[in-house]
Amino acid sequence: MDTVDAGPRLGRLVAALVGVLSVLAAVAVGHLVGGLIDPTASPVIAVGNSVRDLTPPSVTEWAIANLGDAKKALVFAGVGVMLLVVGVVAGLLSRRRPWPGMALAAAVGLAGLLSVLDQPSVPAAGALAPAAGLVAGVAVFYWLHTTATRTRTAAATPVTTVTPVDTAGGRLDATSRRRFLWTSAGVVVGAGAAGGAGELLAGRNDATASRAAVGELVPRSPAPPIPSGADFAAEGTPRFLTANRDFYRVDTALLSVPQVRAEDWLLRIHGMVEDTRTFTFNDIRRRPLVERTITMTCVSNEVGGPYVSTANFVGVPLRDLLREAGVRSGSDQLFSTSVDGWTAGTPVDAAMDPTRGALLAIGMNGEPLPVEHGFPARMVIPGLYGFVSATKWVVDMELTTFDAKEAYWRKRDWGVKAPIRTQSRIDAPRAFATVARGKVTIAGISWAQTIGIAKVEVRVDGGPWQTAELATEVNSQTWRMWRTDVGLGPGTHRAEVRATDRRGSTQPQDRIPPIPDGATGWHSTTFTVR
Ligand SMILES: Nc1nc2c(c(=O)[nH]1)N[C@H]1C(S)=C(S)[C@@H](COP(=O)(O)O)O[C@H]1N2
Ligand SMILES: [Mo]
């Protein structure tokens, strides 16, 4: 068969190497140019983000909620494997001529380009990053391919045109092999240098220094001090205020946390308003700052889950900013966008409600917002799940209607309006713990933001409900701790909890999963008494 078209032919290994190294060069050059222009334009980040956006929402939401730091590694590994496969295929398609592989490399480069263009937050110039990567990939492919075939041809000269060597894959003589390997090594070193430089350049706009320069944010009206009886931490509940480093984190910024310097930050309020208003960070921090103690909750929190935390947020009332812009009647949705293009749709009523106390926050527990929690500024609205209210790195607020625009998670089938559901959780004893017999302390948290908790009840092994002691209430926008003692004999026991809010509604028993607007059901814990 090979007699018909018996040109020089690359061995499989060499061909695959040509493909993989070109992909490596493309990615590295894309990353370098991305670092120069905008780190989010790097094809690695953009393709990763496109993969995230195209993944079924249930999978993304599960991964966001459950994988912690492994998400990033997972997405990168996924993209890496994809690219490796593309490289190998491109190489194998091109054992005789470079064109099929170059065409495939170009097609993948174009896909990278589309992916970058598809990310709403990447500036138009960002397209240069995947474009440069594409050119580099195709060029390196051609270069390595000609190096390999040139040496292959030289090696082939002494043999007859049709030989078993050709069918089995060409073999390079020692000199040619050395030349090819040196060229390959050069590509690896060059790609490493370009990728590393891209990484350094991306880090030059790091927000850490800007955050440190913000200094102390002193609220004109501080939150009342947390009373000493507000938690039962000694008996196993969380502390009332969650330390910033322990505060739960949920966002789609899996691959790179947005880095926005305070001095570059601008917030625009526009749409159905009397006057479009723009605020700088200094405009905000020079206003009389308020501090509010608020418990935030994620809609994807399972019954008994960890996505609930409390902090003292410092900022300005969102209501004041919106009133200055002048919300026109008919607007029912506050559509907010973060610098990375994530969006949330909040009911205007909730944002404007003076008793609810929505904030544009710039501080958290006595510090500027941590970068992962939205530095320089985020929204915090008590009583609504984060996905409809808590936009981090917020740069744009448009007054519009729910009919006109759909935010990120709503497009992915989550609820439209999402008030936090009343919940309670057992923290002690821990699940499957072994405790001493006699008096067993059962303790935990409960929350019914904006309404307040009226009562928490516990029962063990399906027995009668017993009313728990409630910790001192801080305000109706925060969680409330509870505890109770039960006398239990040896064996395995199962405790259940249910909370009743100030309007008199008690948590329903039936488990409903988080999608689309929050989990319900009683939390239970099984433990052993010695
Ligand atoms: N820019 C941006 N803001 C965001 C999100 C996001 O993915 N991107 N996630 C929201 C969700 S779902 C929640 S629950 C809260 C979590 O805030 P935290 O990470 O500070 O706890 O942020 C909200 N704000
Ligand atoms: Mo969330």
Side-chain angles (χ1 to χ4, degrees), residues 10-335:
L10 297 181
R12 285 205 182 84
L13 197 65
V14 171
L17 200 62
V18 168
V20 169
L21 290 178
S22 332
V23 167
L24 187 72
V27 168
V29 168
H31 200 60
L32 171 64
V33 177
L36 279 169
I37 299 170
D38 182 314
T40 56
S42 163
V44 211
I45 308 277
V47 169
N49 285 339
S50 296
V51 169
R52 172 199 71 200
D53 292 343
L54 295 174
T55 304
S58 52
V59 177
T60 339
E61 185 66 0
W62 177 86
I64 290 173
N66 294 290
L67 291 185
D69 288 340
K71 303 181 280 262
K72 183 169 172 171
L74 200 76
V75 176
F76 279 143
V79 172
V81 168
M82 247 163 58
L83 289 175
L84 204 68
V85 169
V86 168
V88 169
V89 170
L92 291 180
L93 285 176
S94 307
R95 292 177 66 194
R96 230 180 269 288
R97 297 178 201 298
W99 315 118
M102 286 167 70
L104 184 62
V108 172
L110 279 177
L113 186 66
L114 286 179
S115 178
V116 169
L117 293 176
D118 182 49
Q119 293 297 314
S121 55
V122 180
L128 286 174
L134 188 159
V135 171
V138 172
V140 167
F141 195 96
Y142 183 77
W143 181 36
L144 284 176
H145 198 279
T146 37
T147 309
T149 39
R150 182 153 25 90
T151 49
R152 172 64 192 79
T153 314
T157 331
V159 245
T160 42
T161 344
V162 190
T163 66
V165 177
D166 276 328
T167 344
R171 216 154 279 145
L172 307 182
D173 67 46
T175 326
S176 314
R177 190 185 313 130
R178 217 171 299 123
R179 190 182 315 150
F180 176 72
L181 287 180
W182 276 112
T183 314
S184 302
V187 170
V188 171
V189 171
E199 206 50 26
L200 281 179
L201 286 167
R204 79 188 185 283
N205 290 329
D206 196 298
T208 317
S210 169
R211 179 173 181 269
V214 166
E216 216 187 332
L217 297 168
V218 184
R220 174 85 57 91
S221 56
I226 307 297
S228 60
D231 65 36
F232 294 119
E235 295 179 294
T237 70
R239 289 186 180 288
F240 195 85
L241 289 179
T242 314
N244 287 353
R245 66 173 179 284
D246 297 331
F247 204 96
Y248 84 89
R249 179 183 160 205
V250 169
D251 54 58
T252 58
L254 309 182
L255 304 181
S256 58
V257 177
Q259 304 287 329
V260 186
R261 291 182 299 191
E263 51 276 32
D264 300 333
W265 179 83
L266 276 183
L267 171 67
R268 199 162 83 96
I269 303 183
H270 63 110
M272 296 170 71
V273 293
E274 301 304 334
D275 291 304
T276 293
R277 297 294 311 267
T278 304
F279 298 93
T280 65
F281 187 77
N282 277 332
D283 291 340
I284 299 295
R285 80 169 294 173
R286 283 199 203 106
R287 299 169 73 105
L289 299 175
V290 299
E291 183 179 41
R292 291 177 181 159
T293 312
I294 298 167
T295 296
M296 289 184 53
T297 317
C298 181
V299 68
S300 55
N301 196 45
E302 301 279 352
V303 170
Y307 300 114
V308 54
S309 302
T310 302
N312 277 331
F313 289 98
V314 172
V316 298
L318 189 53
R319 170 187 158 83
D320 292 354
L321 303 179
L322 296 177
R323 277 161 55 104
E324 283 167 33
V327 177
R328 290 217 298 267
S329 66
S331 166
D332 61 0
Q333 178 176 223
L334 173 63
F335 191 87

Side-chain angles (χ1 to χ4, degrees), residues 427-497:
D427 291 306
R430 299 245 161 248
F432 308 114
T434 301
V435 296
R437 84 176 61 175
K439 204 182 67 166
V440 175
T441 300
I442 303 180
I445 56 179
S446 61
W447 62 88
Q449 288 94 318
T450 74
I451 305 166
I453 291 287
K455 183 166 72 170
V456 170
E457 297 163 290
V458 176
R459 70 175 184 186
V460 179
D461 303 328
W465 288 102
Q466 172 176 330
T467 303
E469 175 192 345
L470 293 176
T472 310
E473 180 170 57
V474 171
N475 68 52
S476 57
Q477 321 293 18
T478 60
W479 57 16
R480 195 150 180 204
M481 275 63 174
W482 54 266
R483 67 171 305 286
T484 193
D485 290 327
V486 286
L488 293 174
T492 299
H493 299 281
R494 180 163 176 267
E496 290 169 289
V497 63

